[in-house]
Amino acid sequence: MAAHNELGKQGEELAVIYLQKNGYAILEKNWRYKKAEIDIIAKHNNTLIFVEVKTRETNYFGEPFEAVTSKKEALFNDAAEAYLEEKNLENEVQFDIISIVVSGKSKPLINHITEAF
């Protein structure tokens, strides 16, 4: 597995732990629809949370969340609609980004951006 894929997997694992510690129930991981993937689908206070996780080794070139483009947002929205339809759900929804910087041996920096788009 390529190093960037391993880093992404590590970030997703850290995000799951973070969300669970904060009272979120994890429903799905890496849910796919056509060209889109939702990293984490969680439930919190009867709201479905669709989470995009961005992980980097440094924020030298900007924060990880800045890599979420309008194209990615559109694909993400399409996938979320497909999930709701497939599961026949009518919950309120929210789109979050969890931005993680993992550098060396220091504690990972986790920035949870709620209602990101």
Side-chain angles (χ1 to χ4, degrees):
M1 182 179 285
H4 71 279
N5 289 339
E6 289 179 24
L7 182 63
K9 269 234 179 284
Q10 179 186 5
E12 289 174 12
E13 290 170 10
L14 289 168
V16 164
I17 293 166
Y18 168 85
L19 289 169
Q20 288 174 327
K21 283 184 180 177
N22 286 283
Y24 291 71
I26 305 304
L27 304 177
E28 307 270 356
K29 293 188 281 185
N30 305 112
W31 193 83
R32 294 187 150 288
Y33 173 74
K34 295 184 179 180
K35 293 183 180 181
E37 178 181 88
I38 299 174
D39 294 327
I40 300 168
I41 301 172
K43 192 170 186 181
H44 189 253
N45 297 331
N46 208 37
T47 300
L48 283 176
I49 315 293
F50 296 92
V51 182
E52 174 68 9
V53 180
K54 288 294 181 190
T55 309
R56 302 287 182 267
E57 290 181 332
T58 177
N59 59 2
Y60 182 78
F61 295 106
E63 294 299 324
F65 69 85
E66 294 174 325
V68 179
T69 63
S70 58
K71 181 179 178 181
K72 176 67 175 179
E73 288 178 19
L75 287 170
F76 205 75
N77 279 317
D78 290 346
E81 286 180 26
Y83 181 82
L84 292 170
E85 189 174 309
E86 180 182 296
K87 303 294 184 180
N88 197 28
L89 298 172
E90 294 183 9
N91 297 66
E92 282 190 44
V93 299
Q94 179 175 305
F95 299 96
D96 292 3
I97 300 172
I98 296 184
S99 181
I100 303 174
V101 177
V102 180
S103 58
K105 295 181 181 182
S106 62
K107 184 177 177 182
L109 300 173
I110 299 175
N111 181 11
H112 182 187
I113 302 161
T114 59
E115 299 180 35
F117 54 93

